Amino acid sequence: MALKKIREILDGCCLADQTIQIRGWVYRKREGKELIFLVLRDSTGVIQCTVKKNSSAWSDAQKVTIESSLTLEGVAHEDKRAPGGYEVSTESINITGLAETFPIGKDKSEEFIRDMRHLWLRSRKMNLVMKVRNQVFESAREYFNSQKYTEVSPPMFISAAVEGGSTLFGLKYFDQQLYLTQSSQLYLEILMFSLEKVFCIAPSFRAEKSRTIRHLTEYWHMEGEWPFADMNDLMAFEEGLMTHICQSVSEKCEKEFAELGADINKLKAVKAPFPKITYKEAIERLKPKNPALDWGADLGYEDEKVLAEEFGQPFFVYDYPTEIKAFYCKTYQDHPEIAMSVDMMVPRIGEISTGGAREDNKEILIERMKAQGLNPQDYEWYLDLRRYGTVPHAGFGMGVERLIVWMLDLDNIIDAIPFPRTTRRFYP
Ligand code: 4AD
Ligand code: MG
């Protein structure tokens, strides 16, 4: 007998006179006197199955509960009234795992559902988000590979901060103090000297107390680094990557976007080049709405949102004050107060990536470390990269979950990752 995925049936490829088999879980159940409706789910979709009172499947259909696993045999046929346009007339049911009363129901609070993450991941919403997430990874890799970047594997245990101490997670490593990486950038810089164009998609960790729709303590970070690149090369690469991801996801995830009720046209509209403004221009634009904002201040979430609303699409803000940027940022020779740093921003979320040119001069780098209260001895290996064959180079890091939150217009970043970690959430 033909074992079918639900998607195949919904795509109309099962003949009306052929008995088929579906393996799945009971998603919904409605019981009438003469008819039981079972909605089954598998990884590919959901389909309505009917069981008639006189069929041999009746007693099993009565017995099954929500989330019971089973193999169902029946005949598929088109039915305009059924969700998805197809229905299965059930001939037999073989219960694999009879489920206890499923804790997640209609009347449950958001808090409760979050505590039940291990079960909530079976929901249609999470199933669809995870598929879009998978496509984002695939499309990103496709682009990096097409541009001849080599994917590398950086470490997560590290011995010195990348992005400053305030968001650094410390941990006891046998008898020593180590940290969880905030970014793989410095390790990509090492590998760049061997492989030239490199990238990674790996976790980054931030001891971030902010409770916003855009902060996690563990997130996936897509980072690239390459030699002989300047700010223009960097922005051109980032907008090329973003355009490819948006176009490719819009082509391959049409069904997921439709079922999630997300606007796919927003992705289709993403095309390089993106608007670009300097930090200085950003401050001038924001000044009327936020008079306290002066040159030198970091842009807050609210400022970024206001700017992003004006653009209504991905755009860049570049040339930030050196003082608010990390020690590794390269500065302009005749304007050391300005750093070659660039953020990509999108509506509602604000910043989704930060990148820039890296300081390639050893002496200036040491000065910058000292100015930020860092001990150059903690970064000896990083300084070696400037000692032995230094080159101008640039790179960036994009938060994968921030990208997904924006793409799907999710309420919160926690739904862009299967097991969200926040200040309060680390279970399961
Ligand atoms: O702006 P950040 O801190 O830049 C860096 O880490 C650079 N070293 C990257 C590089 O040049 N290779 O972080 C980069 C991006 C942010 O723009 C944001 O999208 C994401 O990482 N990000 C977070 N995403 C979710 N939760 C958090 N707490 C995040 N912190 C940063
Ligand atoms: Mg940043």
Side-chain angles (χ1 to χ4, degrees):
M1 192 166 312
L3 181 64
K4 295 287 179 191
K5 298 312 285 183
I6 289 172
R7 183 80 259 157
E8 296 178 88
I9 304 171
L10 296 175
D11 285 343
C13 51
C14 298
L15 302 173
D17 52 0
Q18 178 196 17
T19 301
I20 51 150
Q21 225 175 33
I22 308 171
R23 282 188 196 142
W25 290 264
V26 178
Y27 194 56
R28 306 220 183 291
K29 179 177 176 178
R30 191 155 49 85
E31 219 165 328
K33 280 207 176 77
E34 304 293 326
L35 208 55
I36 295 175
F37 291 92
L38 297 176
V39 176
L40 292 197
R41 63 166 187 86
D42 68 8
S43 61
T44 67
V46 294
I47 193 161
Q48 179 166 293
C49 307
T50 54
V51 186
K52 289 205 179 103
K53 191 163 189 181
N54 59 9
S55 105
S56 59
W58 182 258
S59 64
D60 283 319
Q62 280 187 309
K63 209 191 303 170
V64 292
T65 46
I66 299 294
E67 284 306 313
S68 291
S69 51
L70 51 78
T71 302
L72 181 143
E73 286 176 11
V75 176
H77 48 86
E78 233 179 319
D79 188 325
K80 294 259 157 7
R81 294 162 305 174
Y86 282 84
E87 194 176 73
V88 175
S89 300
T90 309
E91 290 168 359
S92 75
I93 290 173
N94 190 346
I95 302 173
T96 309
L98 187 66
E100 296 175 25
T101 307
F102 198 60
I104 299 177
K106 274 205 188 91
D107 52 340
K108 298 297 191 225
S109 72
E110 208 160 287
E111 241 352 74
F112 177 80
I113 287 174
R114 286 176 185 176
D115 289 337
M116 290 286 141
R117 189 67 166 195
H118 50 298
L119 300 176
W120 179 241
L121 285 167
R122 304 176 182 197
S123 65
R124 286 303 294 153
K125 177 181 172 182
M126 293 313 298
N127 172 287
L128 295 164
V129 173
M130 292 309 123
K131 283 179 184 157
V132 173
R133 183 183 164 96
N134 172 63
Q135 189 56 53
V136 168
F137 277 76
E138 199 174 312
S139 301
R141 289 203 165 95
E142 213 169 66
Y143 191 75
F144 277 110
N145 291 331
S146 75
Q147 304 295 309
K148 305 282 178 241
Y149 281 66
T150 303
E151 184 165 5
V152 297
S153 310
M156 303 292 103
F157 286 137
I158 55 154
S159 54
V162 185
E163 292 301 322
S166 67
T167 64
L168 193 60
F169 272 116
L171 66 101
K172 196 169 162 277
Y173 187 79
F174 306 110
D175 294 330
Q176 261 169 306
Q177 173 71 31
L178 285 192
Y179 309 95
L180 289 173
T181 196
Q182 296 159 304
S183 157
S184 299
Q185 180 194 321
L186 309 191
Y187 293 88
L188 292 190
E189 288 186 62
I190 299 180
L191 288 156
M192 181 197 81
F193 282 85
S194 166
L195 296 159
E196 300 200 17
K197 298 170 167 186
V198 288
F199 80 100
C200 68
I201 309 180
S204 276
F205 304 87
R206 304 282 170 113
E208 199 96 61
K209 294 233 170 82
S210 331
R211 279 170 59 185
T212 71
I213 65 158
R214 64 175 202 173
H215 284 98
L216 292 165
T217 53
E218 176 179 350
Y219 70 97
W220 283 71
H221 205 168
M222 187 194 309
E223 300 184 86
E225 198 75 30
W226 63 107
F228 309 107
D230 61 18
M231 289 284 278
N232 289 327
D233 301 323
L234 176 64
M235 286 190 257
F237 183 88
E238 280 198 69
E239 61 196 4
L241 171 69
M242 184 71 168
T243 302
H244 178 78
I245 296 175
C246 291
Q247 294 303 327
S248 157
V249 169
S250 77
E251 278 164 31
K252 296 188 174 131
C253 295
E254 221 159 334
K255 289 202 169 83
E256 287 77 7
F257 271 67
E259 199 176 330
L260 286 165
D263 176 19
I264 204 153
N265 290 322
K266 180 173 77 184
L267 298 198
K268 289 192 200 290
V270 173
K271 297 226 166 77
F274 299 168
K276 301 170 179 75
I277 59 166
T278 60
Y279 165 88
K280 188 162 167 277
E281 287 172 285
I283 296 287
E284 282 158 11
R285 278 178 187 243
L286 289 166
K287 195 81 179 160
K289 281 177 189 138
N290 183 0
L293 195 67
D294 287 317
W295 198 94
D298 210 352
L299 299 181
Y301 182 20
E302 291 307 319
D303 301 316
E304 291 179 2
K305 273 201 287 196
V306 170
L307 270 186
E309 236 35 75
E310 285 181 25
F311 285 99
Q313 64 160 95
F315 66 102
F316 291 110
V317 180
Y318 67 99
D319 282 1
Y320 280 82
T322 303
E323 223 169 282
I324 56 170
K325 288 292 163 182
F327 68 92
Y328 53 72
C329 288
K330 189 177 168 111
T331 54
Y332 289 91
Q333 215 164 24
D334 43 358
H335 279 289
E337 75 285 5
I338 300 175
M340 299 178 199
S341 180
V342 55
D343 280 9
M344 189 193 291
M345 299 189 189
V346 294
R348 209 171 67 91
I349 306 303
E351 175 193 334
I352 63 165
S353 92
T354 292
R358 319 305 190 187
E359 183 51 70
D360 44 65
N361 177 296
K362 189 189 73 184
E363 311 310 327
I364 301 176
L365 192 56
I366 291 174
E367 282 319 305
R368 299 263 294 126
M369 285 173 175
K370 287 181 180 161
Q372 297 209 357
L374 300 170
N375 183 358
Q377 280 174 354
D378 290 340
Y379 296 88
E380 266 308 308
W381 60 257
Y382 190 63
L383 292 169
D384 271 353
L385 308 180
R386 275 67 182 165
R387 285 189 186 104
Y388 308 114
T390 189
V391 282
H393 62 287
F396 71 95
M398 182 180 287
V400 176
E401 289 76 20
R402 286 201 186 175
L403 177 60
I404 295 169
V405 168
W406 170 72
M407 282 183 150
L408 287 171
D409 219 0
L410 299 173
D411 290 340
N412 194 308
I413 196 166
I414 63 173
D415 283 336
I417 188 165
F419 303 102
R421 267 47 179 142
T422 66
T423 44
R424 294 175 312 143
R425 258 172 219 292
F426 29 80
Y427 171 91

